[in-house]
Amino acid sequence: MSTTSGPASSAPQPPVGIDELLERVRAGYERIEAREAYEAARAGDALLVDIRYAALRERDGVIPGAHVVERNELEWRLDPQGSHRLPEATSHALRVIVICNEGYASSLAAQSLHQLGLHRATDLVGGFQAWRGAGLPVE
């Protein structure tokens, strides 16, 4: 007979599909629309961070003033305690607006930033395509 000293084991949870995961993640913060993101950035109240890969930026252009940070570097570049942070990433109170192409990957990225303590992090509903569709500046 064996004994265990740890917590009682529980049955494994069923896998969560991406649609349910996105719904859960997005319930944890308020997403932002393109016009509001534009105004927040213009007012100096938010840092726009474009996580799209290079081919999309080359194809569609970039948002003036947005910081381009590849998705695989995002946490290192925005962690205020990190040695590889952007110069602007000086506080956990920083309002970061993550932008991907259509607003899906950016939701997961914003959630990751929340786990680092950046509780004002959010993402752009509809991503870069919504920004461009709203007639906002693109270079």
Side-chain angles (χ1 to χ4, degrees), residues 56-70:
L56 289 176
R57 294 191 310 270
E58 291 168 9
R59 182 189 77 188
D60 295 337
V62 294
I63 296 170
H67 292 269
V68 173
V69 178
E70 297 285 337

Side-chain angles (χ1 to χ4, degrees), residues 73-84:
E73 297 179 358
L74 184 68
E75 292 80 1
W76 285 268
R77 305 293 283 153
L78 291 173
D79 178 3
Q81 299 172 336
S83 60
H84 294 86

